[in-house]
Amino acid sequence: MAEKLLEIKNLKQHFNVGRPNEVKAVDGLTFDIYKGETLGLVGESGCGKSTTGRTIIRLYDATDGEVLFDGENVHGKKSRAELKKFNRKMQMIFQDPYASLNPRMKVADIIAEGIDIHGLAKSKEERMKIVYDLLETVGLNKEHANRYPHEFSGGQRQRIGIARALAVDPEFIIADEPISALDVSIQAQVVNLLKKLQKEKGLTYLFIAHDLSMVKYISDRIGVMYFGKLVELTTSEKLYKNPLHPYTQSLLSAIPLPDPEYERSRKRKTYDPNVHDYKDGEDVQMREVAPGHFVLCSEKEFVQYQAQYKHD
């Protein structure tokens, strides 16, 4: 049995709490992430994926719930030293490689920021050696260290962002839509780099994206989000072969295939949230329909999903 690295328990992130315009961006998420795996988190824009990642890493303070990293509560009261230690273990790769790098800093200083904060280099020479090694690791070269971000392409900037995340030797990386701002031809290169780094360094990823085909390629398990809630969670293979929740089915039906004949004839499924028609007080929760396959449903739907589950 794989060891749990991260436990998310009833996590909530609400904005404008108590006001008429309160937004429940993340509304009661519960899931685990195991050491060495990639958990993909998918859903349409505005469903709360990025907010989930930012709350896990404590860029936002959680409204409610727990985030346990190696058994320790991330959102508990912490001293500066404890926060510093936590920040070294968990890093983030941001969506926009243009906005996430300081345009006034040279690449060497951008990458070495974490090294400086955590005192990981004993001398300037050691600091530069670490930077050069990191540049090489992400497919760049040491001549790039003295340049500024505007001198690089989008794919190269994202590689710099990855090098910066790796600089403190983290255990866990949240990749927040790391390929959505890149050309399609570059996306596969960045995803392959992430897979390679995971294998070499034993990293664990939360990979947030809305491109389902890319998420399937990189993820061991996939969680599907809709309006702040997790509606389905299982292995990537099971999710694609046997989607149970109507929202998951609608997402998968929207993936285009390079087959004009198929595209002309296929029917896309649209998701109607009213199809569930839950009664007040009805017990709606994540239930395990089959081993490792969880779906948000009522007791009545649970029986229906079990009946329609296709066993391999």
Side-chain angles (χ1 to χ4, degrees):
M1 183 69 181
E3 191 182 341
K4 287 179 190 175
L5 181 66
L6 204 73
E7 295 173 71
I8 316 296
K9 298 180 179 180
N10 195 33
L11 186 66
K12 295 181 182 179
Q13 182 59 65
H14 297 179
F15 299 103
N16 302 322
V17 178
R19 297 179 191 170
N21 61 338
E22 183 174 346
V23 176
K24 296 179 178 179
V26 178
D27 198 25
L29 295 192
T30 298
F31 61 91
D32 300 323
I33 299 177
Y34 297 95
K35 282 191 178 180
E37 82 162 337
T38 297
L39 179 72
L41 201 56
V42 300
E44 62 197 78
S45 295
C47 73
K49 306 184 300 293
S50 291
T51 304
T52 299
R54 286 163 181 259
T55 306
I56 287 170
I57 204 169
R58 205 172 159 160
L59 288 177
Y60 299 140
D61 284 326
T63 306
D64 197 7
E66 282 184 314
V67 177
L68 300 178
F69 183 80
D70 263 340
E72 193 179 331
N73 191 359
V74 169
H75 288 271
K77 202 171 183 183
K78 290 197 165 8
S79 66
R80 283 176 72 102
E82 285 172 324
L83 279 173
K84 198 170 164 184
K85 189 180 169 189
F86 160 71
N87 288 337
R88 191 179 164 188
K89 290 180 180 178
M90 193 186 291
Q91 286 289 302
M92 195 163 194
I93 300 165
F94 293 93
Q95 178 177 359
D96 188 349
Y98 300 91
S100 63
L101 304 179
N102 188 332
R104 293 184 180 87
M105 288 172 73
K106 287 183 177 179
V107 165
D109 296 323
I110 290 170
I111 292 172
E113 210 169 358
I115 296 167
D116 297 340
I117 289 166
H118 294 278
L120 302 179
K122 296 180 177 70
S123 63
K124 283 185 179 178
E125 291 75 24
E126 188 182 354
R127 179 184 187 262
M128 286 312 296
K129 186 187 182 307
I130 296 170
V131 170
Y132 292 153
D133 287 347
L134 285 164
L135 283 168
E136 197 176 307
T137 299
V138 298
L140 298 172
N141 58 57
K142 64 181 189 181
E143 284 72 37
H144 291 131
N146 290 317
R147 296 186 191 172
Y148 289 91
H150 73 267
E151 298 178 67
F152 295 89
S153 67
Q156 288 174 318
R157 289 186 210 197
Q158 198 56 290
R159 287 170 189 269
I160 294 163
I162 293 168
R164 175 177 60 185
L166 292 174
V168 293
D169 200 19
E171 290 179 52
F172 177 62
I173 291 179
I174 296 172
D176 182 16
E177 304 220 28
I179 56 171
S180 63
L182 306 177
D183 292 344
V184 175
S185 58
I186 306 299
Q187 289 181 359
Q189 293 176 20
V190 172
V191 167
N192 284 332
L193 172 63
L194 289 171
K195 283 178 76 106
K196 176 174 167 278
L197 292 169
Q198 183 176 40
K199 201 172 178 181
E200 290 173 357
K201 297 177 180 291
L203 293 166
T204 304
Y205 291 142
L206 174 63
F207 189 86
I208 298 166
H210 55 257
D211 181 343
L212 280 152
S213 50
M214 199 57 88
V215 171
K216 184 191 179 191
Y217 175 64
I218 195 172
S219 304
D220 299 295
R221 292 186 301 141
I222 298 175
V224 180
M225 275 189 80
Y226 179 74
F227 271 81
K229 292 186 181 292
L230 209 56
V231 297
E232 192 158 358
L233 174 66
T234 186
T235 64
S236 55
E237 192 182 339
K238 281 182 184 173
L239 191 84
Y240 276 73
K241 270 188 181 175
N242 205 1
L244 293 175
H245 197 279
Y247 178 67
T248 308
Q249 292 173 356
S250 75
L251 276 185
L252 291 174
S253 77
I255 299 174
L257 292 175
D259 181 347
E261 202 61 44
Y262 172 79
E263 286 296 318
R264 271 195 290 271
S265 61
R266 78 160 170 162
K267 289 180 181 172
R268 289 175 174 80
K269 293 184 180 179
T270 53
Y271 176 60
D272 178 7
N274 298 318
V275 75
H276 301 288
D277 191 26
Y278 297 128
K279 308 287 185 291
D280 283 347
E282 195 167 358
D283 185 20
V284 179
Q285 57 175 280
M286 289 292 277
R287 290 181 160 91
E288 195 169 11
V289 174
H293 196 148
F294 297 86
V295 186
L296 184 71
C297 58
S298 64
E299 190 68 50
K300 182 181 168 188
E301 286 173 329
F302 175 62
V303 174
Q304 291 169 352
Y305 288 146
Q306 279 193 314
Q308 73 184 62
Y309 191 84
K310 301 183 189 79
H311 293 280
D312 295 331

